[in-house]
Amino acid sequence: MRYNDDENNKVKRWLKIGAWTFGIALFLFVGLFFLTIWLENKLERMVAEQSDGVYELQLHGLQLSPFIGNLSVDSLSLTPDYERWQQLNSQYKDVSPTLMDLQSREIALNGLNYLAVLFGSDPQLDEFIIENPEMLVTMMRKDTTSQEEPLHASVPDRIKGLQIGQIDLGSGKVSYRDDTDTASTIFSIQQFNLTVDDIRLDSQSFQAQDRAYYAARVIFNAEQAAFFTSDKLYRLTADSIVMNTDSSMLQAKQVSLNPTTDPTSMAEAKGEATAYMESDIPLIALTGIDFPEHSRNSNLIARHLLIQEPSLDIFKDKKNFENKYKRPFPHEIVQNVQVKFLVDTVELTSGFIKYETIVPEAAERGLFTLENLEITVSNFSNMPEHISMENPAVVQANGLVMGKTRANITSRMPLLEENGYHTLVGEVASTDPKILNPMVAPTAFIRIESGQISRGSVDLELTNEQATGTFRLIYSNFEIELLSKGTGGDQSLGKEILSELANWVAVKESNPGSEGEQPRVAEVDVAHEDENSIFNFWAKCLMDGFKSIATIM
């Protein structure tokens, strides 16, 4: 009988334990259920209150596991109220210059240290995952504030010292626009992935030489990126973009620059003759990037920039439009860049440039090409400690003129000189000058009938006001024809007579003129016109030297 009593007591104890366990579990479940509802509502109210009605947050399927530190939602919607923003802005309230519309599927915070958050320690999180985020960022007004403080010093106290083991944004989409009008989008990425490893929001991580943007590593992959210029006249696209702070690289593949309108409309929009450009570049790769330096001081320092096999088509209508505005030298462009930069070597390989233009009274376009173009720029920088008169940027370029003869130039450019000072030294190999007829016949109304260039060279010093130097050209049997304007290359009887007269009186057939004679050397002295580009300036110097040697008036 005693044995049965003991057994009954054990059963009762286990039943009590089971009942208590079930009760506690039920209490926790019910408590967690209501806690989840309370937290969901609390977060939504908090966003509305703290944004003063600018943002509405909607959470769906929130799940909370406080014992293991997990929190997740099935979907999230953060929607701005643009009218409310305008109302607050008109009342001179402190509102953000940008608004973000965020729609996302699953969001998960795993391994959140709730105790650290409750007791004021640095918040810690093992993993932050966002799936399929779609972000639309709108610039409501220009940001005139200067951000001098680093992020860790400007964030609220409750998230200072934040530590996250990994941030993973998958299959995202982002657009950036400068107005609420949907046509004002200036930047978009159709799909991106972002992984950030071991981010620590503190001063030590900010200063660490082996970290960038507070993280041990940042990897960013994007597909189908598009950027519109501020005037909306060009669209720049890339099939893919990859950034990796661990391997210190940034690269873009299949980069294209395409106009959004026709040449006439573009020139009308600009109010002057303008270069109408189309370009394709299979690969742009920047390597040896000092990402920690950029994250701390916003300086861009890299070892090498590769531009692989670029093609560039340019057309300029000088017949119906005139140059009106100043074309800056590279010096002025570099000096106006706000970010300090240094690229040890810029390398352009296997390039192709086609330039077409039509001039007043012309019936057709002139054509000039450079093929197999190779360009190397060393010490490309706007940092005074790296560039000076004694240590300039050096540009070395060579290519096939009209696909026929090789020419090369070297230019030394101290890019911080305010007067645009630089030097230009160049050479051209033996060639038949008739290869230039596709350009000179439609634009200068001169056709080269015969001749042979043995070699040529130029040595110039230039500023944004003047160019001086020497031009040498060894040639023989040079003859030309003067063409009638507006005929597409025809020659009237008068032009035939003038051509004969020019070849007999005005044009020197050879240089040197006779055996044993010293070759003539032209002294170049050309004034620069602000509305002409540096390349036009160089071309005028060459033409001035050629006219001087050939005595064409």
Side-chain angles (χ1 to χ4, degrees), residues 61-77:
L62 187 145
Q63 297 181 14
L64 181 65
S65 303
F67 302 109
I68 57 176
N70 291 352
L71 184 151
S72 66
V73 295
D74 292 337
S75 65
L76 175 147
S77 173

Side-chain angles (χ1 to χ4, degrees), residues 339-548:
V339 174
K340 295 300 181 183
F341 67 87
L342 167 64
V343 182
D344 291 339
T345 305
V346 179
E347 183 181 7
L348 183 150
T349 64
S350 303
F352 172 80
I353 297 177
K354 180 176 74 173
Y355 176 76
E356 293 180 290
T357 186
I358 189 166
V359 300
E361 300 184 82
E364 57 186 24
R365 298 179 179 185
L367 169 67
F368 180 80
T369 65
L370 280 173
E371 301 177 29
N372 294 339
L373 185 62
E374 306 284 335
I375 300 176
T376 301
V377 184
S378 59
N379 194 38
F380 183 50
S381 177
N382 63 353
M383 304 173 76
E385 61 269 31
H386 290 284
I387 197 162
S388 63
M389 286 287 288
E390 295 75 24
N391 189 33
V394 179
V395 181
Q396 295 177 300
N398 71 85
L400 294 177
V401 176
M402 305 298 286
K404 300 292 186 181
T405 187
R406 187 160 296 280
N408 63 77
I409 66 165
T410 298
S411 179
R412 298 174 64 83
M413 293 188 173
L415 293 170
L416 296 185
E417 290 298 309
E418 293 185 359
N419 67 351
Y421 174 84
H422 62 287
T423 64
L424 182 68
V425 176
E427 294 181 345
V428 63
S430 174
T431 189
D432 183 343
K434 291 196 296 292
I435 66 173
L436 297 176
N437 278 333
M439 175 55 77
V440 299
T443 60
F445 309 107
I446 295 172
R447 181 164 53 229
I448 301 170
E449 282 296 293
S450 66
Q452 181 63 40
I453 294 175
S454 299
R455 63 183 182 277
S457 65
V458 65
D459 190 344
L460 303 173
E461 290 190 33
L462 311 95
T463 67
N464 50 24
E465 295 183 351
Q466 198 78 17
T468 58
T470 57
F471 179 85
R472 293 174 170 82
L473 190 69
I474 308 302
Y475 66 93
S476 59
N477 303 318
F478 186 68
E479 290 188 2
I480 64 169
E481 283 187 350
L482 302 180
L483 305 177
S484 300
K485 295 180 179 179
T487 64
D490 292 340
Q491 190 179 39
S492 65
L493 178 60
K495 290 297 183 181
E496 287 185 25
I497 296 172
L498 287 175
S499 297
E500 292 295 329
L501 185 61
N503 286 318
W504 182 44
V505 176
V507 177
K508 292 290 186 180
E509 182 182 19
S510 301
N511 184 32
S514 59
E515 187 175 349
E517 182 181 319
Q518 289 296 318
R520 298 183 300 278
V521 177
E523 296 295 328
V524 177
D525 191 350
V526 177
H528 176 243
E529 298 172 349
D530 285 346
E531 64 270 19
N532 290 329
S533 70
I534 189 172
F535 302 109
N536 181 279
F537 190 24
W538 291 356
K540 281 193 171 184
C541 291
L542 298 179
M543 185 59 67
D544 181 78
F546 177 71
K547 287 181 178 181
S548 178

Side-chain angles (χ1 to χ4, degrees), residues 238-404:
D239 281 0
S240 66
I241 299 173
V242 178
M243 185 192 83
N244 190 322
T245 62
D246 200 31
S247 55
S248 306
M249 58 82 68
L250 171 66
Q251 72 173 27
K253 291 184 177 180
Q254 300 303 324
V255 179
S256 296
L257 178 69
N258 295 293
T260 59
T261 186
D262 59 89
T264 300
S265 298
M266 181 176 292
E268 289 174 345
K270 291 284 190 179
E272 64 161 354
T274 187
Y276 184 85
M277 298 181 292
E278 295 180 87
S279 180
D280 290 297
I281 308 173
L283 175 65
I284 299 175
L286 192 61
T287 55
I289 305 171
D290 190 341
F291 282 111
E293 171 65 19
H294 183 262
S295 66
R296 289 193 301 272
N297 302 311
S298 299
N299 297 333
L300 176 59
I301 298 176
R303 287 196 303 270
H304 188 262
L305 171 61
L306 172 65
I307 305 172
Q308 190 177 80
E309 300 179 7
S311 66
L312 175 63
D313 288 359
I314 306 171
F315 168 64
K316 192 166 188 178
D317 184 353
K318 298 180 181 179
K319 182 176 183 177
N320 301 298
F321 302 92
E322 296 180 355
N323 288 337
K324 294 182 180 179
Y325 305 116
K326 180 181 179 182
R327 263 65 175 177
F329 272 21
H331 306 64
E332 186 177 346
I333 296 172
V334 165
Q335 290 166 26
N336 287 332
V337 174
Q338 298 299 313
V339 174
K340 295 300 181 183
F341 67 87
L342 167 64
V343 182
D344 291 339
T345 305
V346 179
E347 183 181 7
L348 183 150
T349 64
S350 303
F352 172 80
I353 297 177
K354 180 176 74 173
Y355 176 76
E356 293 180 290
T357 186
I358 189 166
V359 300
E361 300 184 82
E364 57 186 24
R365 298 179 179 185
L367 169 67
F368 180 80
T369 65
L370 280 173
E371 301 177 29
N372 294 339
L373 185 62
E374 306 284 335
I375 300 176
T376 301
V377 184
S378 59
N379 194 38
F380 183 50
S381 177
N382 63 353
M383 304 173 76
E385 61 269 31
H386 290 284
I387 197 162
S388 63
M389 286 287 288
E390 295 75 24
N391 189 33
V394 179
V395 181
Q396 295 177 300
N398 71 85
L400 294 177
V401 176
M402 305 298 286
K404 300 292 186 181

Side-chain angles (χ1 to χ4, degrees), residues 62 69 84 198:
L62 187 145
R84 176 59 177 167
D198 189 19

Side-chain angles (χ1 to χ4, degrees), residues 9-80:
N9 290 334
K10 285 182 180 180
V11 170
K12 290 178 181 179
R13 284 198 299 269
W14 281 111
L15 288 174
K16 287 181 180 180
I17 292 173
W20 275 103
T21 302
F22 177 77
I24 293 172
L26 181 61
F27 174 79
L28 291 175
F29 175 78
V30 173
L32 187 59
F33 174 77
F34 285 104
L35 175 62
T36 300
I37 295 175
W38 173 84
L39 180 60
E40 185 175 306
N41 293 330
K42 175 66 175 179
L43 290 173
E44 292 176 350
R45 289 196 307 272
M46 184 175 67
V47 168
E49 291 170 0
Q50 293 194 358
S51 68
D52 205 353
V54 172
Y55 281 106
E56 178 186 7
L57 174 67
Q58 291 185 344
L59 301 173
H60 300 282
L62 187 145
Q63 297 181 14
L64 181 65
S65 303
F67 302 109
I68 57 176
N70 291 352
L71 184 151
S72 66
V73 295
D74 292 337
S75 65
L76 175 147
S77 173
L78 182 66
T79 307

